[in-house]
């Protein structure tokens, strides 16, 4: 078995695990900064060449829209089977969110672009003989649509890179830090932060030493600042920081007491994985890939952010109970070491390639 992996965004999620187990594979990395035409032509040429020279048994498409379509076309021409790797719902809520986001800013061209992307992604996914998905929820979603049978899908989560998250905590006398990290390019993640702010404000009212930092950039960063200005109690605003993009995210994880992650758009969120790998307890909404990452009361807390008091209670409980906070963080880190080590993910990918290519 010699797979050809075609990837662009976060190529290390596949490449490093396969390298960790000494797997034989080839890679085509797409340059996301190139023009649309260049990405199509270059991806098609390189995939076609790689299939011919490396004798690839299967093409694993880990990139979508234009370069993904090029990879599909090259594989089809060569008669090589295709597997797709899905870290999110590429023909569902991801596209819906982008269309809605462009509608919010009045961009008709943006809306049309993402609708066209949806058509391309459907073509790519429908051509696949099987799929590698990062969460059980994503597998259920695609199987219920009839796009894959359960036997045609392998669930392989995202690997953790411990070497990327080493930082020393600062002086503990700075008070309690509640942290959220999110991608504010997506409206459904912006909506999650807005819902979280309802409960967080109550925490700040009751815990005078606590502060809340929201890290992450994107088109909804400015609207979030406006939301805080308009909807948050003026007496609390000085303890709420919309930090935007933060390069040294490891330091934030190291110095936080609790991570609050509320999102309505996710496959298997890297933010939760990173926080857990750093031993930081997570309070998240009981949905999506977070259910694969968190066992409530054991490796974190799963709550309904729209239910009165649930988020507030969970966060205050962790801030007040140091033993529980540390135990949940330790349990979460051990889960990540057990389930998300690069060698573990590499072995699962190898098994998935073999199993799904023979279906």
């Amino acid at each position: 078995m010699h797979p050809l992996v075609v990837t662009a965004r976060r190529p290390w999620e596949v490449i490093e695990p396969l390298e960790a187990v000494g797997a034989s594979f080839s890679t085509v990395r797409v340059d996301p900064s190139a023009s649309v035409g260049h990405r199509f032509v270059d991806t098609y040429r390189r995939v076609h060449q790689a299939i011919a020279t490396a004798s690839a048994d299967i093409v694993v498409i880990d990139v979508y829209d234009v370069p993904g379509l090029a990879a599909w076309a090259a594989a089809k021409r060569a008669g090589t089977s295709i597997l797709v790797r899905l870290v999110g719902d590429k023909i569902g809520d991801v596209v819906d969110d982008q269309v809605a986001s462009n509608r919010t800013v009045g961009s008709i061209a943006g809306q049309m672009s993402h609708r066209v992307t949806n058509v391309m992604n459907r073509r790519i996914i429908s051509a696949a003989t099987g799929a590698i998905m990062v969460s059980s929820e994503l597998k259920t979603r695609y199987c219920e649509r009839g796009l894959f049978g359960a036997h045609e899908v392998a669930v392989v989560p995202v690997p953790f890179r411990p070497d990327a998250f080493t930082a020393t905590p600062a002086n503990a006398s700075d008070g309690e830090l509640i942290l959220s990290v999110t991608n504010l390019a997506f409206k459904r993640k912006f909506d999650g932060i807005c819902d979280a702010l309802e409960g967080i404000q109550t925490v700040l009212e009751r815990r005078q030493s606590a502060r809340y930092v929201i890290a992450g950039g994107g088109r909804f960063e400015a609207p979030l600042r406006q939301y805080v200005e308009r909807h948050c109690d003026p007496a609390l605003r000085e303890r709420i920081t919309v930090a935007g993009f933060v390069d040294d995210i490891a330091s934030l994880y190291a110095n936080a007491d609790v991570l609050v992650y509320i999102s309505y758009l996710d496959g298997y969120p890297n933010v939760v994985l990173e926080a857990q790998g750093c031993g930081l307890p997570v309070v998240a909404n009981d949905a999506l890939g977070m259910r694969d990452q968190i066992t409530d009361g054991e490796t974190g807390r799963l709550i309904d952010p729209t239910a009165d008091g649930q988020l507030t209670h969970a966060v205050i409980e962790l801030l007040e109970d140091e033993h529980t906070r540390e135990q949940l963080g330790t349990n979460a880190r051990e889960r990540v070491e057990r389930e998300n080590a690069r060698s573990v993910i590499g072995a699962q990918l190898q098994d998935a390639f073999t199993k799904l290519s023979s279906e």
Side-chain angles (χ1 to χ4, degrees), residues 324-338:
T324 298
R325 186 172 70 245
E326 292 182 353
Q327 188 62 61
L328 291 185
T330 298
N331 292 347
R333 184 175 59 247
E334 291 175 349
R335 184 202 70 79
V336 168
E337 292 170 350
R338 185 172 61 251

Side-chain angles (χ1 to χ4, degrees), residues 110-331:
Q111 294 177 58
M112 292 304 298
S113 173
H114 287 289
R115 292 189 191 280
V116 171
T117 293
N118 188 34
V119 173
M120 288 190 285
N121 290 350
R122 284 184 179 274
R123 174 68 274 181
I124 297 163
I125 292 169
S126 64
T129 59
I132 297 168
M133 302 189 187
V134 295
S135 70
S136 302
E137 190 275 341
L138 206 55
K139 174 181 177 178
T140 298
R141 192 181 300 193
Y142 274 78
C143 290
E144 287 179 347
R145 289 175 181 158
L147 288 166
F148 296 103
H151 63 287
E152 296 172 319
V153 178
V155 175
V156 181
V158 177
F160 178 61
R161 306 169 99 186
D163 46 307
F165 295 97
T166 55
T168 303
N171 194 328
S173 63
D174 290 341
E176 300 162 332
L177 174 58
I178 306 162
L179 173 66
S180 286
V181 180
T182 195
N183 185 347
L184 290 171
F186 296 96
K187 185 177 184 302
R188 297 187 191 190
K189 297 193 177 191
F190 164 75
D191 291 341
I193 292 293
C194 292
D195 285 347
L197 275 163
E198 290 292 320
I200 294 296
Q201 284 192 85
T202 305
V203 176
L204 297 180
E205 289 171 358
R206 299 179 185 177
R207 309 285 294 184
Q208 294 300 312
S209 64
R211 56 194 176 95
Y212 181 41
V213 172
I214 306 162
R219 71 173 67 190
F220 289 99
E221 181 183 337
L224 179 58
R225 295 181 191 278
Q226 294 168 4
Y227 184 91
V228 170
E229 187 70 22
R230 293 171 183 170
H231 297 279
C232 293
D233 186 337
L236 303 174
R237 282 185 209 145
E238 67 177 16
R239 290 190 281 140
I240 300 174
T241 302
V242 180
F245 174 78
V246 175
D247 186 56
D248 186 13
I249 201 69
S251 290
L252 279 179
Y253 289 141
N255 289 289
D257 294 284
V258 178
L259 180 90
V260 173
Y261 189 77
I262 308 299
S263 170
Y264 306 117
L265 177 75
D266 263 300
Y268 188 95
N270 274 277
V271 170
V272 173
L273 175 64
E274 292 163 2
Q276 289 184 319
C278 295
L280 179 62
V282 178
V283 176
N285 51 319
D286 187 6
L288 307 169
M290 290 81 89
R291 289 173 173 166
D292 282 6
Q293 297 172 299
I294 297 172
T295 300
D296 185 42
E298 181 179 328
T299 56
R301 290 298 314 276
L302 291 173
I303 54 94
D304 178 357
T306 64
D308 187 37
Q310 280 199 20
L311 188 149
T312 299
H313 175 76
V315 173
I316 288 179
E317 178 185 49
L318 290 174
L319 292 178
E320 290 182 342
D321 189 339
E322 182 179 2
H323 173 75
T324 298
R325 186 172 70 245
E326 292 182 353
Q327 188 62 61
L328 291 185
T330 298
N331 292 347

Side-chain angles (χ1 to χ4, degrees), residues 17-84:
L18 291 175
E19 289 176 341
V21 294
S24 172
F25 69 101
S26 300
T27 309
V28 169
R29 301 192 198 190
V30 178
D31 179 3
S33 66
S35 67
V36 171
H38 181 271
R39 277 183 290 152
F40 183 89
V41 173
D42 187 60
T43 302
Y44 181 92
R45 176 185 60 80
R46 292 170 63 201
V47 171
H48 178 70
Q49 183 179 45
I51 291 173
T53 58
S55 301
D57 305 290
I58 197 159
V59 174
V60 182
I61 297 181
D62 189 36
V63 60
Y64 289 85
D65 57 70
V66 169
L69 196 68
W72 162 78
K76 182 179 179 182
R77 177 184 174 185
T80 306
S81 296
I82 294 170
L83 295 181
V84 291

